[in-house]
Amino acid sequence: MATVEQAQATIAVENPATGELVREVPLTADVGALVERARAVQPAWEALGYQGRARVLLRARRWLIEHAEEVVATIVSETGKTDEDARLVELAYGANALGFWARKAPKYLADEKVRTGNPFVLGRKLVVRYRPVGVVGVIGPWNYPLVNSVGDAIPALAAGNAVVVKPSEVTPLTSLLIERGLLESGLPEGLYQTAIGGPPTGEALIDAVDMVMFTGSTRTGRKVMERAARTLTPVSLELGGKDPMIVLADADVERAANAAVYYSMQNGGQTCISIERAYVEAPVYDEFVAKVAAKVAKLRQGPPAGPGSIDVGAMTFPPQLDVVARHVQQARDAGARVLTGGRERPGAGRFYEPTVLADVDHSMAAMTEETFGPTLPVMKVADADEAVRLANDSPYGLGAAVFTRDVARGEAIASRIEAGAVCVNDAALNYLALELPMGGWKESGLGVRHGAGGIRKYTRSQALLVTRFAPKREIHYFPYSARVTKLLDRGVKLFYGRGGS
Ligand code: NAD
């Protein structure tokens, strides 16, 4: 019994690229205590105002750059991703986000004066104001420990909240390091805390906080929403996807192929907003397939050893390797051609070879389910209409990409795709423009990150009505009288009775 308790008291963080133990971290025993602590210190943080909070966030940005090597090494060690995926994607995102929210929070959350068209309310001062919810619980996945756990805490802090971050139990080290960085940047204790643990820790966090920001699979997202319903706690959900790419016959095929290879293989294919299936118009299908197969075959894979050492890193989460292998095998059995890759990489570490599948269709899980690994399935389509139909034939609606030299047509096709973000002649790049809201449609999520909505979700809007100059008694107050009712009724009919013919 003692051994079981002992075994449960820590989480062993493993380097997926080498199989070595990185560190053991203690599980958080009492999540409620973290939230109570956060609650106690939040009012002073809110009272500090935007400028005071911005000063801390900007110092944290500097800290991040000054500690870049330590941050990159930590991310690489617990995810097995490449140096570039840690440095140019995660670290750069964090630095951008710290400055962005420090600058934009006062603009997005400024009091809004409102004018009303209702004559019965004329003369009043009407204001919408945004107040922080209090304590935000951020629950994150393993694929981007900085972008999708820490990243979501930044706007919550900028809005005046305290946060408790529960990173994935597979990748807790980055959040712990950033917690240290924020403290060293002058963030008062208790405003950013890391809760270590798996699903029970997540559930305890949901029960205790005022708002939940969740990033992870659709399956868990549903559970999170159900749990939050018990306490009527608002949730924002960023969930799974199966992002389609459409390549039209007039596209720059070389650019489309390069983009397809990068966005399907970047981060080992473990990116929510990316390219996960391609639909290519028949006239350029063979050319596209030949190009992507040749380019993917040249990608270098293995344990990362600094910048430029490899292109594609490890599979971070052990069970994900089985999902990738299953999807590829099932597609192969159903008649798909494996042009390159198609197997687990032999040797130490957890790797799946970068894989291109041709001649696939929607009977295969590789085209319809989230594979979340380094695979690029490519399907031939007759025309744009078929491509759009197939792109939309999915429960997901996260991102999408359209490649064509006719950008007006590309835009028109984009508007027919059911996804929260669509790029024309690009993919996923919208994620870097923090001014643009990013949120999934359908089963890919609820709410947005980035843009005004990406910080307002961490607030409660309060409607304020102020009556400055007023009589002792308003006309509609008690007692009711037939004469006044008739007068007001006539007013209502006069005001609303016209138009609409
Ligand atoms: P996951 O759903 O398994 O886990 C996510 C987090 O939820 C983890 O921290 C986990 O411990 C926690 N959790 C698990 N069960 C819980 C429960 N019952 N209550 C509360 N918390 C619980 O996801 P994952 O495997 O870590 O991440 C991969 C998934 O994340 C993919 O589906 C990917 O598409 C998605 N993702 C989406 C985005 C986006 O922006 N939409 C970004 C990154 C990842």
Side-chain angles (χ1 to χ4, degrees):
M1 195 65 194
T3 25
V4 173
E5 273 172 17
Q6 232 172 359
Q8 285 178 344
T10 59
I11 283 183
V13 182
E14 180 206 302
N15 183 330
T18 61
E20 287 160 8
L21 176 73
V22 183
R23 218 175 101 192
E24 298 223 9
V25 286
L27 277 170
T28 300
D30 189 350
V31 178
L34 297 193
V35 176
E36 291 215 346
R37 190 175 179 210
R39 219 174 270 300
V41 293
Q42 183 271 332
W45 177 243
E46 180 183 354
L48 194 60
Y50 290 111
Q51 278 196 358
R53 295 197 292 270
R55 265 196 294 279
V56 174
L57 296 179
L58 291 174
R59 274 203 298 271
R61 183 171 71 171
R62 195 163 159 184
W63 183 96
L64 200 61
I65 298 303
E66 285 171 359
H67 294 75
E69 297 316 313
E70 188 180 356
V71 173
V72 168
T74 302
I75 297 172
V76 169
S77 74
E78 65 178 347
T79 61
K81 64 175 70 182
T82 67
D83 182 286
E84 283 76 7
D85 289 335
R87 189 183 300 273
L88 305 179
V89 182
E90 297 237 51
L91 181 91
Y93 177 92
N96 183 27
L98 283 160
F100 177 84
W101 293 114
R103 234 179 20 255
K104 289 285 193 172
K107 295 193 177 88
Y108 287 145
L109 301 183
D111 283 0
E112 287 171 10
K113 279 210 165 169
V114 173
R115 286 161 65 110
T116 177
N118 191 331
F120 296 103
V121 196
L122 278 182
R124 268 66 174 198
K125 176 181 168 186
L126 306 175
V127 179
V128 183
R129 50 181 47 160
Y130 298 97
R131 296 280 314 281
V133 292
V135 182
V136 173
V138 175
I139 301 177
W142 44 259
N143 59 332
Y144 282 99
L146 202 154
V147 174
N148 289 145
S149 292
V150 179
D152 288 314
I154 299 168
L157 285 170
N161 297 287
V163 290
V164 177
V165 178
K166 194 210 85 60
S168 166
E169 57 274 40
V170 184
T171 55
L173 302 181
T174 304
S175 185
L176 287 168
L177 176 61
I178 299 299
E179 181 176 337
R180 191 194 99 201
L182 285 165
L183 289 173
E184 288 176 14
S185 306
L187 185 76
E189 296 234 0
L191 285 164
Y192 180 111
Q193 301 171 85
T194 306
I196 304 292
T201 309
E203 287 173 357
L205 190 61
I206 296 166
D207 291 347
V209 294
D210 304 309
M211 189 269 175
V212 177
M213 170 65 225
F214 173 82
T215 306
S217 63
T218 298
R219 196 166 152 266
T220 310
R222 264 187 245 282
K223 289 187 199 161
V224 167
M225 199 167 172
E226 279 173 22
R227 183 87 188 191
R230 296 183 192 178
T231 46
L232 283 181
T233 302
V235 293
S236 186
L237 307 173
E238 299 285 344
L239 310 176
K242 186 73 179 176
D243 290 359
M245 172 198 216
I246 295 176
V247 183
L248 299 184
D250 72 342
D252 178 339
V253 178
E254 178 66 17
R255 177 173 173 80
N258 282 328
V261 170
Y262 178 70
Y263 286 108
S264 62
M265 303 296 161
Q266 181 269 334
N267 211 46
Q270 303 156 106
T271 300
C272 46
I273 300 153
S274 56
I275 289 176
E276 290 163 87
R277 51 190 169 122
Y279 301 98
V280 184
E281 271 195 301
V284 291
Y285 176 79
D286 289 339
E287 182 189 355
F288 180 85
V289 165
K291 279 185 191 288
V292 293
K295 289 172 196 291
V296 169
K298 286 195 197 123
L299 295 176
R300 298 160 300 161
Q301 190 179 43
S309 55
I310 52 154
D311 303 304
V312 180
M315 298 296 303
T316 304
F317 186 48
Q320 204 62 40
L321 195 60
D322 302 332
V323 175
V324 179
R326 179 164 54 79
H327 285 190
V328 172
Q329 188 55 45
Q330 195 221 17
R332 188 182 253 147
D333 292 345
R337 278 185 295 140
V338 180
L339 299 181
T340 183
R343 56 173 197 154
E344 206 175 313
R345 183 175 171 274
R350 200 162 47 237
F351 294 90
Y352 197 88
E353 287 185 354
T355 299
V356 176
L357 298 169
D359 302 346
V360 289
D361 60 42
H362 277 217
S363 70
M364 302 169 188
M367 286 299 276
T368 57
E369 291 175 24
E370 189 174 42
T371 306
F372 226 53
T375 60
L376 176 58
V378 189
M379 180 171 173
K380 190 192 287 185
V381 290
D383 53 27
D385 284 347
E386 187 185 10
V388 169
R389 185 177 58 74
L390 289 167
N392 290 339
D393 177 25
S394 170
Y396 296 115
L398 201 53
V402 182
F403 280 71
T404 169
R405 284 199 170 87
D406 182 347
V407 289
R409 186 163 176 236
E411 274 191 51
I413 288 173
S415 68
R416 293 168 57 198
I417 296 178
E418 294 161 0
V422 189
C423 297
V424 176
N425 293 326
D426 241 308
L429 204 61
N430 57 288
Y431 203 87
L432 302 189
L434 301 191
E435 297 79 0
L436 273 178
M438 173 71 237
W441 288 11
K442 303 200 279 189
E443 293 184 16
S444 285
L446 197 70
V448 295
R449 57 159 63 97
H450 304 162
I455 189 162
R456 286 188 185 155
K457 70 185 177 190
Y458 294 126
T459 66
R460 290 178 285 209
S461 65
Q462 184 177 54
L464 187 71
L465 180 150
V466 180
T467 300
R468 277 166 294 190
F469 312 105
K472 301 277 181 233
R473 185 179 170 279
E474 297 284 349
I475 192 167
H476 62 278
Y477 287 1
F478 295 128
Y480 289 149
S481 87
R483 190 182 62 80
V484 172
T485 301
K486 216 167 151 184
L487 193 76
L488 292 178
D489 183 51
R490 200 177 301 156
V492 168
K493 283 176 180 155
L494 203 72
F495 198 70
Y496 298 113
R498 282 166 298 171
S501 56

